Amino acid sequence: MLLTEFNTTDVRPLLTACLAVPRWVDAVLAGRPYADVEALKAAADLPLSSDEIRQAMAAHPRIGEKPAEGWARSEQSGVDNPDAFAAANAEYEAKFGHVYLVCASGRSGEELLEILRERLANDPATELAVAGRELLKIAELRLAKAVTA
């Protein structure tokens, strides 16, 4: 979609697919019209509350469990060891109570698994903040794929 179309049409479903946080969607919509894609990406870089992070994580599949369709399928294309991820995901979820969330695009399965293992050393509050930053990275990548100058 062209930026001009993004600025003038109903893009709430697109934004919700990028990041399922109503306040974020509303804020990005309220900033229209955007002069360029960089301004759009800058506006999308909003801090998320703990509740918003948890809400958005609920819309994401586990790393290593490839979804049938959508952005997450291509974003996780480097994941090649589902058995290793199943065990690591179980350990992560037991510790933190939510799915492991990382911006997977362009990373190998080995790298993603290494990041997961490193993040197991985080305390729950730190890990939730890290997951929130990763959510924003994912949203920015999705916006960049969806909206062009």
Side-chain angles (χ1 to χ4, degrees):
M1 148 183 319
L2 293 174
L3 183 62
T4 53
E5 183 181 357
F6 179 89
N7 281 332
T8 59
T9 63
D10 178 18
V11 292
R12 184 173 295 278
L14 169 72
L15 289 172
T16 301
C18 289
L19 182 59
V21 174
R23 182 186 62 83
W24 180 87
V25 171
D26 291 342
V28 173
L29 286 172
R32 295 188 304 173
Y34 293 100
D36 54 41
V37 175
E38 289 306 311
L40 169 60
K41 288 195 286 187
D45 190 17
L46 300 172
L48 303 174
S49 72
S50 296
D51 287 341
E52 289 170 331
I53 294 167
R54 286 185 191 94
Q55 175 187 7
M57 282 192 295
H60 280 267
R62 285 182 181 88
I63 295 287
E65 292 180 4
K66 293 195 180 189
E69 57 188 36
W71 275 319
R73 182 165 180 79
S74 65
E75 291 164 354
Q76 291 193 35
S77 62
V79 176
D80 53 7
N81 191 339
D83 293 338
F85 270 100
N89 279 331
E91 181 180 0
Y92 180 95
E93 290 176 26
K95 179 172 182 177
F96 297 114
H98 57 77
V99 298
Y100 164 58
L101 195 107
V102 64
C103 184
S105 188
R107 292 179 163 161
S108 70
E110 183 177 299
E111 182 181 1
L112 295 171
L113 195 54
E114 181 180 324
I115 292 167
L116 185 155
R117 290 180 177 138
E118 288 171 2
R119 285 173 49 185
L120 281 168
N122 289 340
D123 63 84
T126 299
E127 182 54 26
L128 193 62
V130 170
R133 289 190 299 274
E134 293 296 307
L135 279 165
L136 290 172
K137 288 179 192 176
I138 293 165
E140 183 178 316
L141 283 173
R142 289 176 175 180
L143 273 176
K145 288 177 185 177
V147 181
T148 60

